[in-house]
């Protein structure tokens, strides 16, 4: 296959002979690299290389201005904004949100050589009509808004003048200046021939420059468009070139030449739908693996073109390891490096800091960052100061942290000052601290010899030095929020270049980088609406109708650009794989692209097309029942727990799932300790229990009287607050969820006592004990080591002479949870666990003080209207010795299973 560049070059060599006096102008620098390679292949003797320029460099040379960076442009625009726009002005941070859009509009206006007086006057008139009102006086907001539109022309002029003063320009200004200097340039280059190669969409300035040079010198232009598209009057791939053929004076006497018949040659086109983005990357990886295994040499003329460049990272991971010699043209975005998250977290830490200090989660997030973990690790890696600090914050339950608190922790590190410093933080100080932090991390990474990490650090060091220079030059950058916005802006355009050979091996590139390049095998991803083409996005202050009126590009022209690039890739390719996402959504593009629909509708191409749907191979995981055998060590642990005593709750865990019992009660794997900034469910229950215990202690061994219970009501508030303060020393009860939790506890206790007042009027209630610690030996048949059951009984009382065992529950319990129909359910069904726990307490109390009959019940604070919910055995609420005997048999079975070395802990499916 002969590429367009080679084909064009051979035509030029045959026509011109010598290349030394020629100036080649191409759409991109990358195309220039491939042209140089083609020249070296087709030149038999040593020659002086011709001048090869990208269109942007070419226009820059004519204009005499240098391109200003995006950041410089934004700062100069803000400087002009503060001097020209009257009324209320935005801060730099707020301005940066919309300033880039205004920059794009100024850029477009200049590139398309629009009369600025007319368009700004027109825009102002449109806004005047939009905000016309019969009222004489306009609001301040409308007045300031109109003042902005009135000052647009002045802002544009001040901005351009400021850039030109420094010999700089945005792209549009450079192009406008080049048009002004064009005559002088043509005169100075009259003896040299310009060759414009592979252009398609041109802005007005480029059209003027190229057409003028073609008309006034012996220059030529070579289009990379197949005659199939050029001769079709409606095909978007030839939209621009057909327009040039009709509108340029140059083509009135000379025919417009396009390429011949490449598109209709035999091709293998596979259109594949794949679900989601990462699957697309993996599918491309599988195609590359097949190509490599079938014919390795094919990969040297293969390109993977990413319609959506965010697929680069998953694609790199999907490329088979055996494929070497890959060239990636795009560069790895620096904002996706792990170091970016560290500085974003650091910015966030200080931007969100208030008078209370730093919120603990922001502090622990920074301390848990991999780079900080590396920095705070001890020499022997046994202790990490960052982990020590995080644990202390959790133990001390600090919701807000400041420097003084952090210094109280003996973490054994001197690096704390690199991250946490006192208030009055200025922007220059913050940048200096970030630079110091980078150097400190560099020392640690140097010791590990990680080259990629050092490259990240070097680039971030450059970035913060650049920020420092801007802060010095532009004093309005005086707050962290603005600095953070600028940091993200700079970072978004920074990339780490991949090492590779640009002319050999597999090529991975974006759509625009494929201009003028041809490959035998093309793999194109994300061929979806909203990506290829990009669709009707209108990020501009200029309305659609005004754009049309002044000849500015709209979505129609942008769609035509994508259509051209799409079909140009297909022109000379033999093997084409078009991959699209079958699961459209807002973020990952819409339905299959119209470009694919158009291709399928083309009768000339349909014989070459195969459509498929690919999806990942789904393997149904074999469900393994988790089973833990009881070895000698595990049996020793069980014996230790049995001797100490099984609690009713731990036995309920076993009923729910033996594996839960194994993890929580034997291995003691509990949930991670966290800072409790809001009241946790278990602590909530503890506070209710402790409050009732304190209020009812004076009534032990006495009968409850309504008057005495009423006297408790005024004390509820102080008692509840006291117990909250015991458990939450650093938590405010005056706002948020804690205030709600505090009031809920008050209401629970108050309602309970009010119910007790009413009950005491009708019944004689005597409190026998509160929060009783019980422990009993269980003689389990077949178990040859001591087994105990222990627990804390919330309350034991008598009502009208009948003994009652009462358990308080702050969660919701219903009567059905305490109704028993068959005794097997008590140790097999978890929804009967509350009945099981009540019987455990009755069983233990009976061992301490034998009973004739007893009732057992639960007071559920979430089901308060139900009152005391009583245990019921086939509707009988009285627990007798016979009841306890039946329960003992079931308890022996349960404990026997736990203590049986031959019976493993088997995971139970939780319903």
């Amino acid at each position: 296959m002969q590429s367009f560049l080679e084909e064009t070059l051979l035509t030029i060599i045959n026509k011109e002979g010598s290349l030394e006096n020629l100036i080649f102008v191409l759409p991109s620098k990358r195309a220039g690299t491939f042209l140089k390679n083609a020249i070296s292949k087709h030149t038999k003797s040593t020659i002086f290389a011709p001048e090869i320029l990208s269109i942007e460099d070419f226009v820059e040379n004519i204009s005499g201005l240098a391109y200003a960076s995006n950041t410089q442009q934004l700062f100069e625009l803000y400087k002009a904004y503060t001097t020209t726009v009257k009324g209320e002005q935005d801060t730099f941070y707020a301005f940066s949100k919309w300033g880039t859009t205004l920059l794009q509009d100024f850029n477009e206006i200049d590139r398309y050589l629009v009369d600025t007086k007319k368009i700004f006057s027109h825009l102002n008139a449109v806004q005047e009509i939009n905000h016309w009102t019969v009222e004489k006086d306009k609001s301040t907001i409308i007045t300031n808004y109109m003042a902005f539109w009135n000052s647009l022309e002045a802002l544009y002029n001040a901005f351009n003048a400021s850039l030109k003063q420094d010999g700089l320009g945005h792209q549009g200004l450079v192009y406008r200046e080049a048009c002004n200097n064009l005559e002088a340039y043509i005169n100075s280059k009259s003896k040299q021939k310009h060759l414009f190669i592979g252009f398609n969409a041109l802005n007005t300035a480029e059209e003027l420059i190229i057409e003028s040079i073609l008309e006034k010198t012996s220059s030529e232009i070579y289009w990379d468009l197949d005659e199939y598209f050029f001769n079709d009057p409606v095909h978007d791939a030839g939209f621009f070139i057909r327009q040039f053929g009709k509108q340029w004076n140059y083509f009135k006497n000379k025919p417009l030449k396009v390429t011949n018949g490449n598109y209709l040659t035999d091709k293998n086109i596979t259109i594949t739908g794949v679900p989601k983005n990462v699957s697309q990357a993996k599918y491309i990886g599988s195609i590359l693996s097949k190509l490599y295994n079938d014919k390795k040499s094919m990969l040297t003329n293969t390109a993977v073109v990413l319609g959506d460049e965010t697929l680069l990272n998953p694609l790199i991971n999907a490329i088979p390891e055996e494929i070497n010699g890959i060239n990636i043209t795009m560069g790895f975005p620096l904002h996706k490096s792990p170091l970016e998250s560290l500085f974003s977290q650091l910015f966030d830490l200080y931007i969100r800091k208030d008078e209370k200090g730093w919120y603990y989660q922001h502090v622990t997030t920074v301390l848990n960052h991999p780079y900080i973990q590396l920095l705070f690790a001890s020499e022997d890696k046994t202790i990490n100061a960052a982990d020590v600090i995080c644990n202390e914050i959790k133990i001390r339950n600090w919701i807000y942290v400041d420097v003084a608190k952090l210094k109280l922790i003996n973490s054994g590190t001197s690096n704390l000052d690199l991250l946490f410093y006192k208030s009055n933080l200025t922007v220059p100080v913050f940048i200096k601290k970030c630079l110091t932090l980078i150097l400190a991390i560099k020392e640690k990474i140097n010791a590990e010899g990680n080259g990629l990490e050092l490259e990240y650090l070097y680039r971030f060091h450059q970035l913060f030095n650049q920020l420092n220079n801007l802060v010095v030059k532009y004093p309005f950058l005086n707050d962290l929020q603005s600095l953070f916005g600028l940091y993200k802006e700079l970072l978004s355009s920074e990339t780490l270049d991949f090492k590779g050979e640009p002319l050999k091996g597999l090529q991975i590139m974006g759509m625009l980088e494929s201009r003028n390049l041809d490959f035998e095998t093309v793999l194109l991803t994300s061929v979806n609406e909203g990506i290829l083409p990009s669709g009707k996005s209108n990020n501009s202050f200029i309305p659609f109708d005004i754009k049309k009126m002044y000849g500015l590009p709209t979505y129609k022209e942008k769609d035509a650009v994508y259509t051209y690039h799409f079909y140009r890739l297909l022109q000379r390719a033999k093997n084409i794989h078009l991959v699209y996402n079958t699961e459209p959504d807002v973020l990952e593009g819409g339905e299959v692209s119209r470009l694919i629909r158009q291709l399928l509708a083309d009768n000339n191409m349909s014989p070459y097309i195969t459509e498929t749907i690919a999806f990942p191979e789904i393997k149904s995981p074999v469900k393994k029942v988790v089973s833990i055998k009881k070895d000698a060590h595990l049996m020793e642990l069980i014996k230790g727990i049995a001797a100490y005593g099984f609690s009713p709750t731990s036995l309920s865990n076993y009923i729910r799932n033996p594996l839960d019992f194994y993890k929580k009660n034997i291995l003691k794997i509990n949930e991670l300790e966290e800072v409790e900034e809001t009241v946790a469910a278990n602590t909530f229950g503890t506070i209710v229990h402790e409050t009732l215990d304190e209020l009812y202690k004076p009534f032990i061994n006495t009968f409850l009287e309504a008057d005495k219970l009423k006297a408790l009501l005024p004390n509820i508030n102080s008692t509840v607050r006291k117990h909250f303060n015991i458990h939450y020393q650093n938590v405010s009860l005056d706002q948020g969820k804690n205030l709600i939790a505090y009031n809920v506890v008050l209401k629970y206790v108050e309602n309970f006592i009010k119910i007790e007042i009413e009950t005491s009027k009708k019944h004689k209630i005597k409190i026998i004990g509160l929060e009783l610690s019980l422990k009993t030996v269980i003689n389990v048949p077949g178990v040859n080591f001591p087994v105990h059951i222990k627990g804390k009984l919330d309350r034991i009382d008598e009502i009208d002479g009948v003994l009652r065992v009462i358990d308080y529950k702050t969660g919701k319990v219903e009567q059905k949870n305490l109704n028993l129909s068959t005794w097997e359910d008590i140790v097999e069904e978890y929804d009967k666990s509350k009945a099981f726990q009540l019987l455990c307490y009755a069983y233990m109390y009976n061992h301490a003080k034998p009973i004739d009959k007893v009732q057992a019940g639960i007071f559920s604070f979430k089901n308060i209207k139900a009152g005391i919910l009583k245990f019921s055995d086939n509707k009988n609420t009285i627990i007798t010795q016979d009841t306890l005997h039946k329960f003992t048999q079931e308890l022996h079975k349960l404990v026997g299973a736990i203590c049986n070395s031959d019976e493993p802990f088997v995971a139970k499916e939780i319903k």
Side-chain angles (χ1 to χ4, degrees):
M1 182 201 74
Q2 194 173 56
S3 71
F4 165 72
L5 288 177
E6 283 188 301
E7 192 180 294
T8 305
L9 179 65
L10 290 172
T11 305
I12 292 166
I13 290 172
N14 292 335
K15 193 172 183 181
E16 303 293 334
S18 171
L19 302 176
E20 294 170 15
N21 206 32
L22 302 176
I23 298 173
F24 289 86
V25 183
L26 297 106
S28 67
K29 288 180 180 178
R30 184 165 174 73
T33 305
F34 275 77
L35 179 62
K36 284 176 189 171
N37 182 55
I39 291 170
S40 69
K41 274 169 65 179
H42 294 285
T43 305
K44 293 170 185 174
S45 58
T46 305
I47 62 162
F48 285 106
E51 197 174 349
I52 300 174
L53 298 166
S54 69
I55 185 68
E56 288 190 353
D57 291 345
F58 176 63
V59 173
E60 185 181 22
N61 290 348
I62 299 173
S63 71
L65 296 175
Y67 290 111
S69 69
N70 290 338
T71 310
Q72 281 176 299
Q73 290 177 43
L74 193 63
F75 274 95
E76 290 299 332
L77 183 63
Y78 185 70
K79 202 162 83 173
Y81 166 78
T82 56
T83 55
T84 55
V85 176
K86 294 181 175 65
E88 190 180 344
Q89 293 180 344
D90 284 348
T91 63
F92 178 76
Y93 177 70
F95 169 83
S96 65
K97 302 283 184 189
W98 56 266
T100 48
T101 304
L102 190 61
L103 273 175
Q104 287 169 17
D105 286 340
F106 284 174
N107 197 6
E108 216 164 60
I109 285 167
D110 277 342
R111 283 190 297 142
Y112 284 82
L113 305 178
V114 175
D115 184 326
T116 51
K117 271 193 175 303
K118 282 185 181 178
I119 195 168
F120 288 131
S121 170
H122 201 150
L123 283 169
N124 188 37
V126 168
Q127 295 304 323
E128 287 280 3
I129 292 167
N130 285 343
H131 294 88
W132 179 84
T133 174
V134 291
E135 293 175 17
K136 215 174 187 183
D137 297 322
K138 292 177 181 175
S139 68
T140 309
I141 293 173
I142 297 295
T143 305
N144 287 335
Y145 182 74
M146 292 312 303
F148 168 74
W149 286 97
N150 283 328
S151 59
L152 264 187
E153 188 181 356
L155 174 57
Y156 165 84
N157 291 329
F159 171 55
N160 280 0
S162 172
L163 287 174
K164 283 171 75 173
Q165 196 175 349
D166 294 332
L168 299 170
H170 53 85
Q171 192 191 50
L173 180 58
V174 170
Y175 275 56
R176 198 184 275 272
E177 279 299 302
C179 292
N180 295 337
N181 299 343
L182 189 55
E183 204 65 46
Y185 174 81
I186 291 171
N187 292 335
S188 68
K189 299 284 184 179
S190 57
K191 293 180 182 178
Q192 286 183 282
K193 187 170 185 176
H194 294 76
L195 299 168
F196 298 96
I197 298 173
F199 287 95
N200 173 46
L202 300 171
N203 57 53
T204 309
E206 287 170 338
E207 280 192 62
L208 177 65
I209 291 165
I210 293 172
E211 192 183 0
S212 298
I213 292 172
L214 289 174
E215 285 180 352
K216 295 178 181 178
T217 66
S218 60
S219 300
E220 291 183 29
I221 187 163
Y222 293 87
W223 305 101
D224 186 9
L225 180 73
D226 196 278
E227 61 185 359
Y228 182 79
F229 306 116
F230 183 72
N231 295 330
D232 186 333
V234 294
H235 204 297
D236 271 358
F239 175 77
F240 293 103
I241 296 172
R242 283 196 302 272
Q243 275 192 339
F244 302 147
K246 292 172 188 173
Q247 295 170 3
W248 287 13
N249 291 326
Y250 176 75
F251 292 120
K252 285 181 180 174
N253 303 317
K254 292 184 180 182
L256 189 151
K257 292 178 185 176
V258 290
T259 58
N260 299 325
N262 290 306
Y263 180 66
L264 292 179
T265 55
D266 290 356
K267 301 179 190 300
N268 295 312
I269 302 174
T270 305
I271 298 171
T272 309
V274 182
K276 292 297 182 184
N277 275 345
V278 174
S279 294
Q280 286 188 71
K282 291 190 178 295
Y283 180 69
I284 293 291
S286 69
I287 294 173
L288 292 173
S289 179
K290 190 172 183 299
L291 290 174
Y292 179 82
N293 293 329
D294 292 350
K295 198 175 179 183
K296 293 181 187 178
S297 59
M298 278 188 77
L299 291 178
T300 58
N301 205 1
T302 297
V304 177
V305 181
L306 300 179
D308 177 5
E309 294 188 9
T310 60
L311 273 184
L312 177 62
N313 212 24
L315 179 65
I316 291 169
N317 289 304
I319 293 171
E321 287 183 16
E322 61 268 21
I323 296 177
N324 297 314
I326 300 166
N327 182 54
I328 302 170
T329 65
M330 292 172 289
F332 182 76
L334 202 58
H335 66 82
K336 291 197 173 172
S337 68
L339 201 57
E340 185 277 334
S341 59
L342 171 61
F343 289 108
S344 289
Q345 288 166 11
L346 212 53
F347 270 109
D348 197 47
L349 187 73
Y350 281 93
I351 288 168
R352 295 197 185 196
K353 187 182 179 186
D354 57 25
E355 66 278 357
K356 297 177 194 170
W358 295 292
Y359 182 52
Y360 82 96
Q361 280 188 353
H362 299 153
V363 173
T364 54
T365 299
V366 170
L367 290 171
N368 284 320
H369 194 280
Y371 282 106
I372 300 304
Q373 288 279 311
L374 177 70
L375 186 65
F376 279 51
S378 60
E379 290 296 324
D380 57 3
K381 305 272 176 85
T382 54
I383 299 170
N384 194 298
D387 291 339
V388 171
I389 296 166
C390 289
N391 288 333
E392 280 296 317
I393 289 171
K394 289 171 188 174
I395 291 164
R396 301 182 189 210
N397 209 52
W398 285 339
I399 295 168
Y400 286 92
V401 184
D402 55 28
V403 173
K405 282 182 178 177
L406 290 171
K407 296 237 168 142
L408 290 174
I409 300 169
N410 184 19
S411 58
T413 180
S414 57
N415 290 320
L416 208 57
D417 293 339
L418 292 171
L419 297 174
F420 305 105
Y421 18 97
K422 291 184 179 176
S423 52
N424 304 323
L425 184 69
T426 61
V427 167
V429 168
F430 183 80
I431 293 172
K432 190 179 174 184
K433 289 283 187 182
C434 289
L435 288 166
T436 311
L437 178 62
I438 289 169
L439 294 175
I441 295 170
K442 175 178 168 273
E443 282 183 30
K444 286 278 187 178
I445 288 175
N446 261 337
E448 300 200 351
N450 190 322
L452 179 61
E453 304 287 346
L454 288 171
E455 183 65 25
Y456 288 148
L457 287 166
Y458 171 69
R459 294 300 292 276
F460 273 88
H461 196 266
Q462 277 186 319
L463 180 72
F464 277 101
N465 275 323
Q466 191 180 349
L467 284 171
N468 197 40
N469 294 337
L470 289 167
V471 167
V472 171
K473 188 175 178 183
Y474 300 100
F476 51 75
L477 193 67
N478 54 11
D479 65 285
L480 280 183
Q481 191 76 61
S482 299
L483 184 70
F484 185 43
L486 180 59
Y487 160 82
K488 291 182 87 172
E489 177 72 30
L490 286 175
L491 202 61
S492 65
S493 59
E494 293 286 330
T495 57
L496 276 177
D497 295 330
F498 291 96
K499 284 184 178 177
E501 173 50 60
L503 303 168
K504 291 179 186 175
L506 174 68
Q507 303 287 317
I508 299 174
M509 62 185 70
M511 196 69 172
L512 292 177
E513 288 155 323
S514 69
R515 289 177 292 182
N516 291 170
L517 308 183
D518 295 298
F519 301 93
E520 196 166 294
T521 303
V522 173
L523 294 85
L524 178 58
T525 70
S526 306
V527 192
N528 287 79
E529 286 294 317
I531 299 173
L532 287 175
S534 60
K536 296 183 182 180
S537 56
N538 186 31
N539 189 21
S540 172
F541 286 117
I542 305 170
F544 178 83
D545 51 350
I546 294 181
K547 282 195 169 194
K548 289 289 285 181
M549 181 179 175
Y550 287 93
L552 292 170
T554 62
Y555 66 86
K556 164 70 178 165
E557 286 74 24
K558 287 172 185 171
D559 284 357
V561 170
Y562 280 103
T563 306
Y564 170 79
H565 289 313
F566 175 79
Y567 280 100
R568 204 213 62 76
L569 267 174
L570 271 55
Q571 276 180 184
R572 293 174 183 80
K574 299 292 179 198
N575 305 298
I576 300 150
H577 296 270
L578 304 176
V579 184
Y580 66 92
N581 181 1
T582 58
E583 308 295 316
D585 63 32
V586 176
L587 297 175
E588 296 178 355
E591 61 180 313
V592 58
S593 172
R594 71 191 78 166
L595 300 175
I596 287 180
R597 302 265 189 226
Q598 188 179 28
L599 198 61
L600 289 167
D602 188 338
N603 292 330
N604 293 309
M605 298 308 292
S606 54
Y608 307 126
I609 298 173
T610 306
E611 283 189 90
T612 62
I613 296 291
F615 47 86
E617 188 181 347
I618 299 167
K619 291 180 181 175
S620 225
V622 179
K623 253 191 178 179
K624 289 185 179 177
V625 178
V626 181
S627 176
I628 309 293
K629 289 184 179 177
K630 296 172 185 171
D631 58 15
H633 176 66
L634 185 50
M635 283 308 298
E636 286 302 315
L637 290 174
I638 291 169
K639 286 175 185 177
I641 295 164
Y644 178 71
F646 294 113
S647 69
T649 305
S650 68
L651 293 174
S652 295
N653 283 341
Y654 185 87
I655 295 167
R656 180 174 185 269
N657 187 353
L659 216 60
D660 284 350
F661 174 82
Y662 169 70
K663 290 175 183 175
K664 290 181 182 177
N665 301 102
I666 297 179
L667 298 184
K668 309 293 182 190
I669 301 173
N670 297 313
E671 289 181 9
L672 287 172
E673 187 173 359
E674 296 290 347
V675 172
E676 283 188 29
E677 50 183 314
T678 57
V679 180
N682 57 343
T683 318
F684 185 94
T686 303
I687 292 168
V688 172
H689 280 70
E690 289 177 353
T691 301
L692 289 174
D693 180 46
E694 184 173 333
L695 291 171
Y696 273 75
K697 257 183 186 170
F699 299 119
I700 291 176
N701 292 322
T702 64
F703 288 96
L704 295 180
E705 295 174 22
D707 292 341
K708 288 181 180 178
L709 287 170
K710 280 179 186 174
L712 294 179
L713 295 174
N715 301 328
I716 294 172
N717 199 323
S718 59
T719 311
V720 169
R721 186 169 284 275
K722 172 186 165 184
H723 288 286
F724 258 103
N725 290 336
I726 291 168
H727 292 280
Y728 295 100
Q729 293 177 8
N730 303 303
V731 173
S732 168
L733 300 177
D734 302 326
Q735 60 185 15
K737 290 181 181 178
N738 292 331
L739 176 62
I740 295 169
Y742 173 69
N743 280 289
V744 168
V745 172
L746 285 179
K747 205 71 181 165
Y748 277 0
V749 175
E750 186 182 321
N751 287 342
F752 178 77
I753 291 173
K754 283 179 179 177
I755 288 170
E756 291 272 88
I757 290 167
E758 293 305 312
T759 310
S760 67
K761 289 176 182 177
K762 300 171 187 174
H763 303 279
K764 291 187 76 176
I765 304 170
K766 182 182 180 183
I767 303 291
I768 295 169
L770 298 169
E771 299 295 326
L772 293 176
S773 294
L774 303 170
K775 187 172 182 179
T776 306
V777 174
I778 312 176
N779 297 311
V780 182
V783 176
N784 56 6
F785 50 85
V787 178
H788 292 84
I789 182 170
K790 69 176 189 67
K792 190 174 272 191
L793 177 57
D794 292 338
R795 170 168 154 177
I796 182 98
D797 67 13
E798 275 182 7
I799 181 165
D800 298 330
V802 178
L803 202 62
R804 282 194 313 185
V805 170
I806 295 176
D807 194 19
Y808 302 138
K809 296 289 182 189
T810 48
K812 187 168 184 179
V813 181
E814 295 176 318
Q815 185 61 53
K816 65 179 181 180
N817 303 128
L818 302 177
N819 293 340
L820 202 64
S821 54
T822 59
W823 277 98
E824 289 79 7
D825 288 351
I826 199 87
V827 290
E828 289 176 6
E829 300 298 327
Y830 181 68
D831 68 342
K832 304 298 180 188
S833 61
K834 301 296 184 286
F836 173 82
Q837 289 177 23
L838 283 176
L839 288 171
C840 282
Y841 291 125
Y843 174 84
M844 287 188 279
Y845 191 77
N846 179 59
H847 272 259
K849 293 180 181 178
I851 54 175
D852 181 32
K853 60 179 182 176
V854 66
Q855 286 184 333
I858 285 176
F859 188 90
S860 170
F861 288 92
K862 277 194 177 175
N863 190 10
I864 203 160
K865 289 179 182 175
I868 300 287
L869 302 168
K870 295 173 185 174
F871 166 79
S872 164
D873 174 15
N874 286 313
K875 299 185 180 179
N876 180 15
T877 59
I878 301 296
I879 298 170
T880 62
Q881 288 296 330
D882 182 51
T883 312
L884 290 176
H885 176 70
K886 290 174 185 175
F887 172 69
T888 304
Q889 288 178 314
E890 298 303 325
L891 182 63
H892 284 176
K893 279 187 206 172
L894 181 70
V895 175
I898 294 171
C899 298
N900 186 350
S901 60
D902 296 327
E903 194 170 328
F905 291 119
V906 179
K908 186 193 284 187
E909 193 172 329
I910 299 166
K911 295 174 185 175

